[in-house]
């Protein structure tokens, strides 16, 4: 079984749109929900990743072409559905999805805020790991740590 994943040769990190990274992340989740059903499916997850990275994965048309770490992030987060009242099959196959936060007034908390913080934090960290794992270096032994450290994780559009 041959697995191929698309990792862009250059990964553009979009700038954040404000001081509140969770508000920006919530906006990305709502924007990625193309069919406006309150859920991010596998196809819409690609859109979400592109919002975070400024379109660096725009050539990815199929979930299975994302790096394995991004696929695993989606599945892990989708499987939190059991804690949100879903049944045992709520994160399998075509039923797997992430919830989308409702648009609330500033200062109000979303129901299940812990879940959205988990989605935002884990997705941010996973994208950062894809970025740092794929920073080109001239000599892996001597420059990998320095190159990875040069990635400004705060510049992720979360």
């Amino acid at each position: 079984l041959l697995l191929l994943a698309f990792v862009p040769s250059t990964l553009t990190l979009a700038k954040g749109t404000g001081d509140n990274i969770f508000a920006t992340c919530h906006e990305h989740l709502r924007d990625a929900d193309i069919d406006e059903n309150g859920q991010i499916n596998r196809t819409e997850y690609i859109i979400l990743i592109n919002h975070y990275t400024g379109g660096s994965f725009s050539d990815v048309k199929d979930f299975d072409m994302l790096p394995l770490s991004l696929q695993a992030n989606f599945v892990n987060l989708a499987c939190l559905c059991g804690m949100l009242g879903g049944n045992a099959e709520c994160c399998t196959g075509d039923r797997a999805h992430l919830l989308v936060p409702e648009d609330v007034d500033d200062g109000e908390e979303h129901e299940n805020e812990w879940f959205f913080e988990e989605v935002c934090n884990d997705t941010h960290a996973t994208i950062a790991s894809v970025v740092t794992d794929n920073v080109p270096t001239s000599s892996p032994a001597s420059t990998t740590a320095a190159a990875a450290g040069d990635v400004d994780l705060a510049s992720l559009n979360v």
Side-chain angles (χ1 to χ4, degrees), residues 45-116:
Y45 181 70
I46 298 168
I47 296 166
L48 176 65
I49 297 303
N50 276 305
H51 284 313
Y52 268 100
T53 63
S56 293
F57 291 88
S58 60
D59 290 339
V60 174
K61 304 300 181 212
D62 185 55
F63 178 83
D64 295 331
M65 294 305 294
L66 286 171
L68 187 56
S69 59
L70 289 172
Q71 293 177 46
N73 180 64
F74 175 82
V75 172
N76 288 336
L77 292 169
C79 286
L80 293 175
C81 61
M83 298 173 99
L84 300 171
N87 64 32
E89 297 179 355
C90 62
C91 67
T92 59
D94 291 338
R95 291 180 294 273
H97 64 274
L98 306 178
L99 294 177
V100 175
E102 295 178 9
D103 198 5
V104 297
D105 294 329
D106 287 340
E108 285 188 50
E109 260 198 30
H110 294 87
E111 183 179 352
N112 301 315
E113 183 66 26
W114 67 268
F115 171 77
F116 300 116

Side-chain angles (χ1 to χ4, degrees), residues 2 4 25 151:
L2 176 63
L4 299 175
C25 175
V151 175

Side-chain angles (χ1 to χ4, degrees), residues 104-136:
V104 297
D105 294 329
D106 287 340
E108 285 188 50
E109 260 198 30
H110 294 87
E111 183 179 352
N112 301 315
E113 183 66 26
W114 67 268
F115 171 77
F116 300 116
E117 288 184 12
E118 190 76 22
V119 169
C120 296
N121 286 331
D122 289 4
T123 302
H124 177 201
T126 303
I127 291 170
S129 74
V130 170
V131 170
T132 57
D133 288 348
N134 292 290
V135 172

